[in-house]
Structure formats: C-alpha cells, structure tokens
Amino acid sequence: MLERIQNNDFSDIIKGRRSVRQYDESIKISKEELNEIIAEASLAPSSANMQPWRVIVVNTPEGKNKLRPLMRFNTLQNDTSSAMLIILGDTQSYLNVEEIYDAAVQQGKMPQDVRDKQVPQIMSMYPELPKEIKTEVVKIDASLFSMQLMLVARAHGYDTNPMAGFEQDQIVKAFDLDDERYVPVMVLSIGKAEVEGYETVRLNSEQITFWR
Ligand SMILES: Cc1cc2nc3c(=O)[nH]c(=O)nc-3n(C[C@H](O)[C@H](O)[C@H](O)COP(=O)(O)O)c2cc1C
C-alpha cells in the first residue's frame, strides 16, 4: 500500500490531472501495481463502509476487442490505454457487512458493542431499499472511489480519463456479470499520456456556492 508512489506533490497531482485520451501503447501496468492502485482507491469513504465499488480490469487484447464496440466515441482510449477499468456498483454489497465489521472488531478498530448495534441496523435497512435507491447509493460511493483512483493513478505517474460514453445497458452482461446486481458507474482508462490532455476552465467558487 502506497509503496510505489512516485509523486507525492498534492498540488501537482490535482492541478496537473487532465483527461488523457491517447496513451503510450508501450506502457503496460503490471497486475500487482493495478491491484495496489485499486487498494489505495478503496480507502475512499462509502455509505456504512460497505465499499460497493467493483472493478472489471480489461487489459488483454481479447478484453479490449470485446469492449471496443461498447465504447461509442471513446475507442482511442480503449485501444491505447494500459487498461480500461469498468467501475461498477454492487447493489448487494450489504452481503459483506458482517465480514467488514467483524474484521474491524478483530483489528481493534471498532468496539464489539458498536458492531453489534450497527450490523443489525444496516441489515434491517439496506436489503429492503427500493432498487432505485440502492442504485443511487452505490453510484455515489463508486464515484468517490473513481475520483480517488484517478488521483492515486497520478501519484503512481499515470493518467486517466473518466468516461460515461459507453453502452450502459450492455457492458455488465458483456463481461459475464449479473446486470440485475451490478450497476455500471463509469469507465476509467489508465496509462501514460502519449498526447497530453488539454487544459479546461472551471467556474469560480462564487458561481457554484450558496451561502446562507
Ligand atoms: C462522469 C464523467 C463522464 C465523462 N465522459 C467522458 C467521455 O465519455 N469521453 C471523454 O472523452 N471524456 C469524458 N469525460 C471527461 C470530461 O470531458 C472532462 O473531465 C472535463 O472536460 C474536464 O476536463 P479534465 O478532466 O481534463 O479536467 C467525462 C467526465 C466525467 C466526470
């Protein structure tokens, strides 16, 4: 965890992040490093710490071929990146609640009585939520994970592009997962820039803030 960080300059990480759409095809990120990046992104917060983010890593020629027709106008990222990360939300993430909370107790991070109070509360609520609410919850959590992953990638010396332009109704099934359970959130390309991302502008804080 955090052992392969190459850039620890927070200001550079956030100011220098750009959506990169064309990557150096000679750069391959190892499975070990992608696992580290995913683990570091998983330090993101989530509703009841249920961590509903799931990732399909597409980094083989076969996987990329399968993904290409689903990526609409985003095929350059697919074809040149080291990997395409399909970020999903698991609407049954409450199935992991006991494991997560038991581990917290075992590791001395949560008192047993807090676990014994919270687990039944969570389990009486989340499984019964309507599908739209479950979808909304996991999309928020998986989006926080995605943002963290993009910054972690920068710290590892890589670039990313978040994408919503893909066939949302087909992508989960295409990779052999249950599309009733897993909700597509976004796709992130990751690799080293061949062509730098262009600079973009932001509204100023007064335009986006309500003070009361
Ligand atoms: C949810 C989301 C969906 C996006 N979808 C696409 C996309 O399909 N294709 C693309 O090239 N860029 C996509 N973008 C990238 C935006 O265009 C980009 O973030 C924005 O213009 C700001 O530029 P920057 O990322 O370089 O700061 C998406 C960004 C977000 C957050």
Side-chain angles (χ1 to χ4, degrees):
M1 180 82 70
L2 299 168
E3 276 148 18
R4 280 187 230 222
I5 295 296
Q6 300 195 355
N7 180 359
N8 214 359
D9 179 343
F10 182 69
S11 165
D12 181 67
I13 285 174
I14 63 165
K15 282 177 86 178
R17 188 203 56 76
R18 314 247 181 283
S19 284
V20 164
R21 298 174 174 92
Q22 186 172 344
Y23 298 88
D24 178 346
E25 291 181 57
S26 68
I27 302 289
K28 304 279 170 241
I29 309 176
S30 68
K31 189 173 180 184
E32 291 72 32
E33 187 167 17
L34 278 170
N35 269 324
E36 282 176 27
I37 290 170
I38 289 166
E40 288 156 14
S42 293
L43 298 173
S46 61
S47 177
N49 196 25
M50 288 192 294
Q51 306 160 46
W53 39 74
R54 303 289 178 264
V55 185
I56 306 174
V57 180
V58 181
N59 68 345
T60 62
E62 305 76 55
K64 294 273 195 89
N65 279 338
K66 190 182 266 193
L67 185 54
R68 186 178 304 109
L70 304 178
M71 285 310 300
R72 297 194 174 165
F73 46 89
N74 292 308
T75 50
L76 187 60
Q77 297 91 321
N78 182 68
D79 294 347
T80 62
S81 62
S82 291
M84 297 287 272
L85 308 176
I86 304 171
I87 312 296
L88 309 173
D90 182 358
T91 60
Q92 293 179 20
S93 61
Y94 51 81
L95 296 174
N96 297 116
V97 162
E98 292 203 4
E99 181 185 337
I100 293 166
Y101 281 68
D102 286 346
V105 172
Q106 248 172 22
Q107 293 172 29
K109 294 174 179 167
M110 179 180 278
Q112 181 76 42
D113 61 317
V114 173
R115 178 253 177 246
D116 290 344
K117 203 169 148 227
Q118 289 190 354
V119 169
Q121 266 175 4
I122 293 166
M123 292 310 283
S124 69
M125 187 174 97
Y126 278 91
E128 305 308 326
L129 290 173
K131 180 80 193 291
E132 317 84 75
I133 306 289
K134 281 183 183 147
T135 300
E136 194 182 332
V137 169
V138 300
K139 280 193 166 181
I140 291 170
D141 290 340
S143 297
L144 293 171
F145 167 84
S146 300
M147 183 69 248
Q148 179 124 312
L149 195 149
M150 288 189 272
L151 298 181
V152 165
R154 292 264 307 142
H156 279 250
Y158 299 117
D159 300 290
T160 56
N161 181 199
M163 287 166 276
F166 62 91
E167 304 303 338
Q168 311 230 351
D169 55 339
Q170 297 172 43
I171 202 161
V172 175
K173 256 211 163 99
F175 289 92
D176 309 317
L177 290 172
D178 176 2
D179 62 355
E180 279 296 310
R181 172 169 177 174
Y182 298 101
V183 176
V185 178
M186 69 182 84
V187 178
L188 301 174
S189 50
I190 182 167
K192 262 203 169 69
E194 173 77 24
V195 176
E196 293 299 325
Y198 50 84
E199 274 198 68
T200 52
V201 298
R202 294 296 183 267
L203 300 170
N204 66 49
S205 65
E206 272 133 54
Q207 292 173 284
I208 59 167
T209 310
F210 303 97
W211 296 85
R212 295 287 189 271

